[in-house]
Amino acid sequence: MDALAYGVTRRVLLPVTSVLALLLVWEAAVRALDLAPFVLPAPSRVAQAAVRTADVLPAHVATTLAEAVLGLLLGAVAGTLLALGVVLRPRVGDALEPLVLLTQTVPTVVLAPLLILWAGFGLLPKVLLVALTVFFPVFVSATSAMRSADTDLLDVVAGLGGHARDQLVIVRLPGAVTGAVAGLRVAATYTVGAAVVAEYLAGQSGLGVFIQRSRKAYAVDQILVGVIAVALLTALLVGAVGLIERAATPWRPRAASTPASSRHLTSEIP
Amino acid sequence: MTTFPGTDRHDRRGGVLAEADRLTVGVRGGTGPTILDDVALSVRAGEFVAVVGPSGCGKSTLLRAMAGLLPPSLVASGGARIDVATGGGRRDVAWMPQRDGLLPWRRAWSNALLGARIAGRDVAASEVRAAELFERFGLAGAERRWPHELSGGMRRRLALLRTVLADRRLLLLDEPFSGLDALTRRRMNSWLSDLDLVGTSTRGSAVVLVTHDVDEAVLLADRVLVMSGPPGRVVDSVATRKGGDGQARRRLLELLGV
Ligand SMILES: Nc1ncnc2c1ncn2[C@@H]1O[C@H](COP(=O)(O)OP(=O)(O)OP(=O)(O)O)[C@@H](O)[C@H]1O
Ligand SMILES: [Mg+2]
């Protein structure tokens, strides 16, 4: 019981208190300094804006969520497959390695204008941008997990009469899954942001479009509504990836399986 | 060639399962020290051979050489000869590492069947045998657990079970019970001596057990090879009567200089 109460205090009570305190200070400061709403609206005004836009917002959220999820899946699959190819065919790996490193030096959002130029104004360029953002961390961590497979385990397989193929299937591939999922967890935090940046440039729907329109109307309260929606969506995705990670690695001791940050995020999502 | 005579009374089938001669192992590239120096040994079917020696004298390296698992940084010299029984185009050997080497993402049951799977044994038959061995190894009820949910002693027994279940003729065990507390270790040893590992295979098998515990060696083995080093050399071979032999024990302690 005590442990449960302690957990509730730490995970629910304390965070909620600090958020409420921040909102109160914000509200009080805006009123005391009499700030104009187009500079910084009070939280109460932001809440009103959220209610006002409640009928258009879901469509924008749905668009951005679809882009983020599709991109996440596409990038994860592509990253894992290429990692497998590189490890299975070391020569391909040697040839691709510098290219991959080179492309890593370009932040993917920088490519957004190019993708829009090539793939039009619809969903596709945004999905591609998210996929590119996800691809690299997944590829890099899956590759290194397979390469740096525990030599003790490789030796065990060989010591029982296994060949390189057995080592691959029994030791390296499970390592690829754990590596890919770890990369996915890193990537998940960027996905919604990448989709929104692409939407800033072009598009008819999405949180990026919503924020851009609000900016043109000087509706700072609506911009903040959009920002909060982006934050919540990101938390949702990170939480979902955390669940996937747990499902993909059921063998891990619980405490060590999710780092503190994502555990908090998942526990705060209703 | 200097092989040490086996104790014939334990020699059930006669065949030599492993034989090494002029086995010299050094660091690749010729730099660094010699790790094994002109080692010769032969292991016959039906034998339980222990290898004792001080830490760092090359026991694990000797076992790895027999298993064909020398790390890339080590190399056997040109004149070295090491013959190991083969079956189905592979070394007929199952090696158990000094650390247990269990796959963390497989449950105990699946870890146990790893050797049998790699060896291409009949799955149904292996599972029947596995169920029987789980019972005998005191692991019944732990089949569905993950390795991290097992105690140190259980992990070692599971690793040993996996090695036995591969059904190879030559078992190479590298300090199967090192790192366990004295009490657990003693229990493991008396249990292992009851187990009759040499008799577990249907085809006449042998065990090579590395240890630096003289009592363990005397209790379990028919014959004890004493190593010194580095560089690792086999300095003597002492026959023991199974189940405790005071005279052999004294001789071994004397050879090891303790
Ligand atoms: N890969 C390697 N490269 C270079 N030297 C090595 C390598 N492996 C082992 N050695 C050296 O070979 C010697 C023998 O090592 P080995 O592990 O065989 O000893 P051991 O008798 O098993 O010791 P312990 O009882 O502590 O397990 C040691 O001096 C070690 O430093
Ligand atoms: Mg050793």
Side-chain angles (χ1 to χ4, degrees):
Chain A
M1 260 337 264
D2 269 359
L4 185 67
Y6 177 72
V8 168
T9 309
R10 279 198 58 190
R11 298 265 179 84
V12 182
L13 241 47
L14 293 180
V16 167
T17 316
S18 69
V19 168
L20 281 181
L22 178 73
L23 290 179
L24 279 178
V25 170
W26 178 357
E27 182 86 37
V30 169
R31 292 192 183 198
L33 301 173
D34 199 17
L35 288 176
F38 61 82
V39 177
L40 183 67
S44 55
R45 219 188 142 90
V46 175
Q48 283 164 15
V51 173
R52 200 171 60 235
T53 54
D55 51 338
V56 294
L57 211 52
H60 291 300
V61 169
T63 305
T64 303
L65 185 63
E67 291 161 1
V69 169
L70 287 176
L72 192 71
L73 291 178
L74 186 63
V77 170
T80 311
L81 286 183
L82 191 66
L84 283 182
V86 159
V87 173
L88 289 181
R89 294 268 174 279
R91 289 197 183 169
V92 177
D94 292 343
L96 285 184
E97 197 91 60
L99 282 178
V100 170
L101 286 179
L102 194 72
T103 41
Q104 251 196 313
T105 59
V106 182
T108 47
V109 288
V110 172
L111 300 175
L114 270 182
L115 289 174
I116 286 166
L117 213 57
W118 290 334
F121 298 104
L123 218 57
L124 187 61
K126 287 102 181 185
V127 171
L128 287 180
L129 188 69
V130 175
L132 274 178
T133 310
V134 171
F135 171 82
F136 289 112
V138 169
F139 170 76
V140 169
S141 68
T143 312
S144 71
M146 276 190 285
R147 288 226 174 105
S148 66
D150 189 339
T151 46
D152 275 18
L153 299 184
L154 294 174
D155 281 349
V156 163
V157 171
L160 291 167
H163 297 311
R165 238 197 57 232
D166 300 302
Q167 292 178 325
L168 180 77
V169 173
I170 295 169
V171 181
R172 290 188 197 273
L173 288 190
V177 173
T178 22
V181 179
L184 202 59
R185 178 154 41 76
V186 173
T189 39
Y190 307 129
T191 50
V192 178
V196 168
V197 168
E199 287 165 356
Y200 281 168
L201 298 183
Q204 282 86 46
S205 172
L207 283 172
V209 173
F210 175 80
I211 291 174
Q212 224 31 343
R213 284 181 189 162
S214 305
R215 181 182 65 80
K216 283 175 189 154
Y218 293 96
V220 179
D221 49 0
Q222 283 191 38
I223 294 181
L224 287 174
V225 170
V227 169
I228 292 167
V230 168
L232 289 179
L233 268 191
T234 302
L236 184 74
L237 273 184
V238 170
V241 168
L243 291 181
I244 292 174
E245 184 175 24
R246 181 166 288 183
T249 55
W251 48 274
R252 287 210 188 152
R254 273 254 162 143
S257 70
T258 36
S261 59
S262 68
R263 199 163 55 227
H264 281 271
L265 281 174
T266 48
S267 63
E268 274 152 37
I269 291 163
Chain B
M1 176 172 153
T2 50
T3 49
F4 297 97
T7 45
D8 285 332
R9 66 201 159 87
H10 289 288
D11 192 350
R12 289 166 199 169
R13 318 240 166 173
V16 174
L17 290 185
E19 191 152 51
D21 191 28
R22 286 198 296 278
L23 178 61
T24 299
V25 172
V27 177
R28 194 178 288 277
T31 58
T34 310
I35 293 165
L36 290 179
D37 185 17
D38 199 19
V39 170
L41 72 105
S42 116
V43 180
R44 292 152 161 264
E47 265 193 312
F48 197 127
V49 179
V51 179
V52 298
S55 183
C57 71
K59 304 183 295 295
S60 295
T61 307
L62 174 61
L63 220 56
R64 279 181 168 273
M66 294 171 78
L69 288 176
L70 280 182
S73 55
L74 300 184
V75 63
S77 75
R81 189 176 65 80
I82 183 156
D83 290 329
V84 174
T86 52
R90 303 180 181 205
R91 281 171 195 250
D92 209 349
V93 160
W95 172 78
M96 175 176 168
Q98 200 163 345
R99 288 188 1 192
D100 53 50
L102 296 173
L103 299 172
W105 52 80
R106 290 194 178 208
R107 295 181 190 275
W109 180 257
S110 166
N111 258 299
L113 286 166
L114 187 69
R117 216 195 101 190
I118 291 172
R121 306 267 178 256
D122 178 57
V123 177
S126 302
E127 291 199 336
V128 170
R129 191 136 184 271
E132 182 193 311
L133 287 176
F134 264 81
E135 198 73 45
R136 265 173 80 192
F137 279 51
L139 289 169
E143 290 88 347
R144 302 263 317 144
R145 295 215 210 147
W146 301 108
H148 77 86
E149 296 170 334
L150 302 175
S151 74
M154 291 169 91
R155 292 176 63 105
R156 296 310 182 92
R157 274 179 282 167
L158 181 58
L160 185 60
L161 197 161
R162 171 186 67 193
T163 316
V164 170
L165 209 55
D167 197 25
R168 303 286 188 183
R169 294 187 70 189
L170 184 60
L171 301 187
L172 303 173
L173 312 178
D174 196 350
E175 308 206 27
F177 301 130
S178 67
L180 297 181
D181 63 277
L183 206 67
T184 315
R185 195 186 170 101
R186 184 172 295 190
R187 221 171 6 194
M188 293 284 146
N189 279 333
S190 69
W191 163 81
L192 193 58
S193 83
D194 290 341
L195 199 63
D196 187 22
L197 271 189
V198 172
T200 51
S201 168
T202 42
R203 296 170 296 146
S205 59
V207 178
V208 179
L209 169 93
V210 164
T211 175
H212 38 222
D213 182 339
V214 167
D215 294 317
E216 183 171 280
V218 171
L219 176 68
L220 295 172
D222 311 315
R223 185 157 65 89
V224 183
L225 296 181
V226 182
M227 288 183 71
S228 73
R233 291 200 178 92
V234 176
V235 291
D236 207 340
S237 168
V238 177
T240 66
R241 271 181 282 112
K242 215 164 190 165
D245 179 335
Q247 201 185 335
R249 185 172 177 279
R250 273 192 301 281
R251 171 121 182 80
L252 286 171
L253 290 175
E254 188 184 310
L255 281 164
L256 289 167
V258 272

